[in-house]
Amino acid sequence: MASSSSINFIETALSCTTTNSLSYPDPKQKWLIRKHLLSLIQNYPTFRPSINTFTHNDGTTANLLHVAGNLHISNYIPPVPLTIWLHESYPYMPPLVFVSSSNSMSPIHKNHPFVDSSSGFTSSPYLQTWNFPRCNLTCLVRNIINIFNIDHPLIHNSFSCVSLTNPLLVSKMEALDRLSGMIHYDMIDLMAKNQEEMQELCKLSAELMKRGDILRNTIIDLEEKKLMLKDRVMKLMEEGDVLMNWLRVNDLKSIVAIGGEDDAFEGVDYESKMVIDCLSADRCIEDLIYELDKAVEEGVMPFDSYIKQVRILAREQFSYRATLVNRGEAKI
């Protein structure tokens, strides 16, 4: 039963016409508010009516009625401190419901499907689909009890799942509440998985960017080396042209020919000329092999061509050196 003091308070508050009167100008609206409040405190006598200034999210204020009290859910779980504000357009607009954890030892657990952990603002499919005259305060509190019995805001537990295949087990509104709660937790799990995947993708992206930088630097180094090799090839070609021009002028055949009239070095006899020719040919082949080695290192000459030329030159060099050895032994 509602206490007489609560009834008198509601009657006095709604009949007040002073400057501090409530923000409910319509007499019919006041009559409906009175009816709904009396029904609420008769069914749930733990609630006590009061008047205070309410500040909306847009900064506007209104002098509103509200009821506050501990809402008993069941004998096995603690009650929930609840405050219900009657909007200035009530009952055509839904009331504003808040869970207060300041008077409770346990804070509101995070990720509750219907209660905001920071402000305590409470929402549910019943409030979201509020429609007068189907909806009222008493039915609202009954709906909140059902919701908190499934998922208590001050005790963190996963949303209990009851089979909804049998329509006799639950009402349409309770089925909607349960479905909303399960979807809420499924969305939280999905967001957590997506967050983990995003973190992994961010790490992968950072690693790919790092490898991309390394690859770009490697390409730049290779381009520089390529330019250096091109410059080196050009210089070698220029030096080759100079050498060829020198050979044309000085007639290489006249230098290496035996018995030539314009020999660079003249031997006093046939044996001396033979030694000079073999030594000069051996040195020329040695220099040529050295240049071929450098050409292979710089990538100017293919390796198979290098091997072929070296074999030919090595055989020629061997014959010259063998001749020198035989001449030396013959003298001994």
Side-chain angles (χ1 to χ4, degrees):
M1 293 295 293
S3 63
S4 57
S5 60
S6 296
I7 297 174
N8 292 334
F9 180 85
I10 295 172
E11 296 282 358
T12 303
L14 291 173
S15 61
C16 181
T17 58
T18 62
T19 55
N20 294 327
S21 61
L22 297 170
S23 301
Y24 310 111
D26 187 5
K28 182 180 179 181
Q29 179 189 21
K30 291 182 179 180
W31 181 84
L32 291 172
I33 291 174
R34 174 184 178 278
K35 178 182 177 182
H36 288 186
L37 281 176
L38 291 179
S39 175
L40 175 64
I41 61 178
Q42 284 175 358
N43 287 277
Y44 301 99
T46 56
F47 285 103
R48 293 289 183 269
S50 183
I51 300 174
N52 209 332
T53 300
F54 184 86
T55 303
H56 292 281
N57 293 333
D58 59 0
T60 60
T61 59
N63 202 26
L64 304 179
L65 272 168
H66 65 87
V67 290
N70 289 325
L71 183 63
H72 293 278
I73 308 302
S74 70
N75 295 328
Y76 307 102
I77 52 181
V80 178
L82 199 70
T83 302
I84 303 175
W85 293 80
L86 274 63
H87 194 277
E88 54 262 39
S89 298
Y90 182 89
Y92 306 102
M93 290 290 292
L96 304 168
V97 183
F98 293 88
V99 173
S100 176
S101 61
S102 59
N103 298 328
S104 175
M105 296 299 293
S106 301
I108 301 171
H109 76 77
K110 293 182 179 180
N111 299 325
H112 193 279
F114 305 117
V115 182
D116 182 74
S117 60
S118 59
S119 64
F121 178 74
T122 303
S123 181
S124 69
Y126 187 89
L127 286 167
Q128 294 169 0
T129 58
W130 181 274
N131 186 19
F132 177 78
R134 176 180 60 84
C135 301
N136 56 69
L137 293 177
T138 303
C139 293
L140 169 64
V141 173
R142 190 179 300 119
N143 174 257
I144 293 175
I145 291 175
N146 292 333
I147 290 175
F148 289 172
N149 190 38
I150 298 171
D151 193 350
H152 199 282
L154 305 180
I155 302 174
H156 185 45
N157 58 341
S158 59
F159 204 89
S160 61
C161 182
V162 177
S163 174
L164 302 179
T165 56
N166 187 352
L168 298 178
L169 291 177
V170 293
S171 64
K172 181 179 179 181
M173 182 55 64
E174 185 177 355
L176 182 59
D177 293 338
R178 291 179 182 273
L179 182 61
S180 299
M182 289 186 288
I183 292 175
H184 174 80
Y185 282 113
D186 288 343
M187 289 180 61
I188 291 175
D189 293 338
L190 182 61
M191 290 176 63
K193 292 179 181 178
N194 289 339
Q195 186 67 23
E196 292 179 359
E197 292 179 358
M198 287 296 295
Q199 292 178 355
E200 292 296 328
L201 290 175
C202 288
K203 292 180 181 178
L204 180 60
S205 177
E207 181 65 23
L208 290 175
M209 292 179 63
K210 180 180 178 181
R211 294 184 180 182
D213 293 338
I214 295 174
L215 182 60
R216 281 191 292 271
N217 294 332
T218 303
I219 292 174
I220 293 173
D221 292 340
L222 290 175
E223 290 291 340
E224 293 178 353
K225 290 181 179 179
K226 181 180 178 181
L227 293 175
M228 292 175 62
L229 289 175
K230 286 184 177 180
D231 293 339
R232 179 61 177 167
V233 170
M234 293 298 296
K235 290 180 180 179
L236 289 175
M237 291 177 65
E238 292 175 358
E239 292 176 359
D241 292 339
V242 172
L243 180 60
M244 292 299 296
N245 292 330
W246 185 89
L247 290 174
R248 291 191 189 98
V249 173
N250 294 276
D251 189 9
L252 177 61
K253 293 181 179 180
S254 64
I255 297 176
V256 297
I258 300 174
E261 298 178 355
D262 298 325
D263 292 342
F265 300 96
E266 294 185 2
V268 295
D269 54 19
Y270 176 78
E271 294 294 334
S272 299
K273 291 182 178 180
M274 182 66 69
V275 171
I276 291 173
D277 291 340
C278 290
L279 286 174
S280 62
D282 178 64
R283 296 294 187 272
C284 289
I285 293 174
E286 191 73 26
D287 292 341
L288 184 56
I289 292 175
Y290 175 76
E291 292 298 331
L292 289 176
D293 289 340
K294 291 174 63 177
V296 171
E297 290 178 1
E298 296 174 357
V300 178
M301 183 177 188
F303 185 75
D304 53 350
S305 299
Y306 165 78
I307 292 296
K308 183 177 179 180
Q309 294 296 328
V310 168
R311 286 178 178 176
I312 295 172
L313 293 173
R315 283 195 294 268
E316 293 182 7
Q317 189 180 34
F318 177 78
S319 64
Y320 288 127
R321 291 186 178 182
T323 301
L324 289 173
V325 172
N326 293 334
R327 291 296 180 184
E329 291 178 353
K331 290 182 178 182
I332 295 173

